[in-house]
C-alpha cells in the first residue's frame, strides 16, 4: 500500500563522531510514486558533504548542493549515493515508467444551520501544482489545476463521494467556472468514513473500484466535527 509520503533516511557516522542524514521524497505528501516524470527531492543534513553520485540515466540539478532535485529518464532501480569526505553512502531507488497521475484536492465548509457540509473538489498534478496546493492550504485551484479539471470534465468524468458504512453516493453539479466541483453532504455521526472516487461514463466499473489517497484524510477531517475516535 502506498504511504502518504515516501522518505528514506540514512544515519551516517562521520569521523568527528557527529551524525548526518540524507533522504529523498516527492513534492507532495499525497503522491508517493517515483516515475520518470517525477521530480525527486534529495536532501543531506550534516557536515562535510561533497556531492551526489547518480548513474548516467539520471540527472541532478546541482551535484554539489546538499539540497537539490533528481530526474531519472529511464525506469528501473538506480544507485543514488551521498558522498561526504571519503565516505559514500548509497541507496537504491526504484523508478517506474512515466505516466500521468493526478490527485483530488478538496476543501470543506460546515453549515451548522442545516447540519451539512459543502465540499469543493478539483484535480491537481503534483508536478505542476502551486505551493499552496502542495502544502494543503489552497482555497482555490491554481491555473494548471483549473485546466486539468476542465479536461477531466470534458471527458465525461467527475468526482463523487462514497460513504463506506452506508454505501451512499453523492454527486456534484456541473463543473463551475472556477474549475471546481461542489458536493453537498449531510453531517452524520454514523456514516463517517467517506471516499472520493472518480465517476467515468466510459468505464464505470473501474472508476467505482478506484480509491484515492485522499480517503484517509477525508475520514480524519470528518471525525474532527464529531470528535470521534479514529483509533
Amino acid at each position: 500500500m502506498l504511504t502518504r509520503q515516501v522518505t528514506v533516511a540514512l544515519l551516517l557516522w562521520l569521523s568527528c563522531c557527529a551524525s548526518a542524514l540524507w533522504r529523498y521524497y516527492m513534492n507532495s505528501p499525497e503522491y508517493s510514486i517515483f516515475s520518470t516524470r517525477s521530480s525527486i527531492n534529495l536532501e543531506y543534513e550534516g557536515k562535510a558533504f561533497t556531492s551526489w553520485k547518480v548513474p548516467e540515466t539520471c540527472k541532478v540539478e546541482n551535484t554539489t548542493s546538499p539540497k537539490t532535485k533528481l530526474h531519472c529518464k529511464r525506469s528501473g532501480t538506480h544507485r543514488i549515493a551521498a558522498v561526504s569526505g571519503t565516505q559514500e553512502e548509497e541507496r537504491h531507488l526504484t523508478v517506474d515508467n512515466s505516466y500521468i497521475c493526478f490527485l483530488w484536492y478538496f476543501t470543506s465548509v460546515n453549515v451548522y444551520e442545516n447540519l451539512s457540509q459543502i465540499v469543493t473538489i478539483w484535480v491537481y498534478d503534483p508536478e505542476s501544482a502551486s505551493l499552496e496546493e502542495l502544502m494543503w492550504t489552497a482555497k482555490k485551484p491554481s491555473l494548471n489545476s483549473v485546466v486539468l479539471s476542465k479536461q477531466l470534465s470534458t471527458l465525461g468524468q467527475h468526482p463523487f463521494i462514497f460513504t463506506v458504512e452506508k454505501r451512499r453516493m453523492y454527486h456534484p453539479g456541473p463543473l463551475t467556472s472556477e474549475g471546481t466541483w461542489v458536493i453537498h453532504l449531510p453531517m452524520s455521526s454514523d456514516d463517517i468514513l467517506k471516499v472520493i472516487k472518480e465517476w467515468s461514463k466510459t468505464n464505470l466499473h473501474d472508476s467505482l473500484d478506484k480509491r484515492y489517497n485522499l480517503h484517509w484524510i477525508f475520514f480524519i477531517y470528518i471525525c474532527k466535527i464529531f470528535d470521534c475516535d479514529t483509533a
Side-chain angles (χ1 to χ4, degrees), residues 100-200:
I100 305 300
C101 186
F102 304 140
L103 296 173
W104 297 119
Y105 191 103
F106 73 90
T107 63
S108 180
V109 176
N110 300 324
V111 184
Y112 294 104
E113 288 78 4
N114 59 4
L115 295 178
S116 67
Q117 282 187 308
I118 302 174
V119 182
T120 303
I121 305 173
W122 66 84
V123 179
Y124 78 100
D125 177 4
E127 295 301 319
S128 61
S130 66
L131 179 61
E132 290 78 11
E133 287 173 324
L134 294 176
M135 298 298 294
W136 273 86
T137 59
K139 302 300 182 182
K140 61 180 181 179
S142 63
L143 179 59
N144 288 330
S145 297
V146 170
V147 173
L148 287 175
S149 297
K150 288 183 177 180
Q151 290 176 340
L152 192 71
S153 179
T154 301
L155 295 173
Q157 297 171 303
H158 66 260
F160 71 95
I161 292 176
F162 174 77
T163 66
V164 174
E165 295 177 38
K166 294 190 176 181
R167 306 185 68 81
R168 293 173 177 169
M169 294 189 294
Y170 296 91
H171 290 267
L175 187 75
T176 68
S177 59
E178 296 182 347
T180 62
W181 291 274
V182 178
I183 300 178
H184 295 264
L185 290 175
M187 291 185 182
S188 177
S189 60
D190 60 352
D191 198 14
I192 298 174
L193 181 56
K194 296 174 173 65
V195 183
I196 298 178
K197 296 186 177 185
E198 176 189 1
W199 180 280
S200 173

Side-chain angles (χ1 to χ4, degrees), residues 32-94:
S32 54
I33 304 174
F34 296 123
S35 75
T36 53
R37 182 174 174 267
S38 305
S39 297
I40 303 170
N41 295 290
L42 299 179
E43 282 191 9
Y44 180 95
E45 296 179 5
K47 300 178 180 179
F49 175 78
T50 303
S51 64
W52 297 100
K53 183 179 290 187
V54 301
E56 293 182 356
T57 54
C58 299
K59 181 180 179 181
V60 175
E61 291 183 358
N62 188 341
T63 57
T64 59
S65 173
K67 293 184 179 181
T68 187
K69 291 183 181 295
L70 170 72
H71 301 268
C72 293
K73 60 184 180 181
R74 292 184 182 177
S75 61
T77 301
H78 304 286
R79 177 184 179 273
I80 312 298
V83 181
S84 58
T86 58
Q87 297 184 359
E88 184 175 309
E89 298 294 339
E90 67 178 36
R91 278 291 182 268
H92 292 85
L93 172 64
T94 300

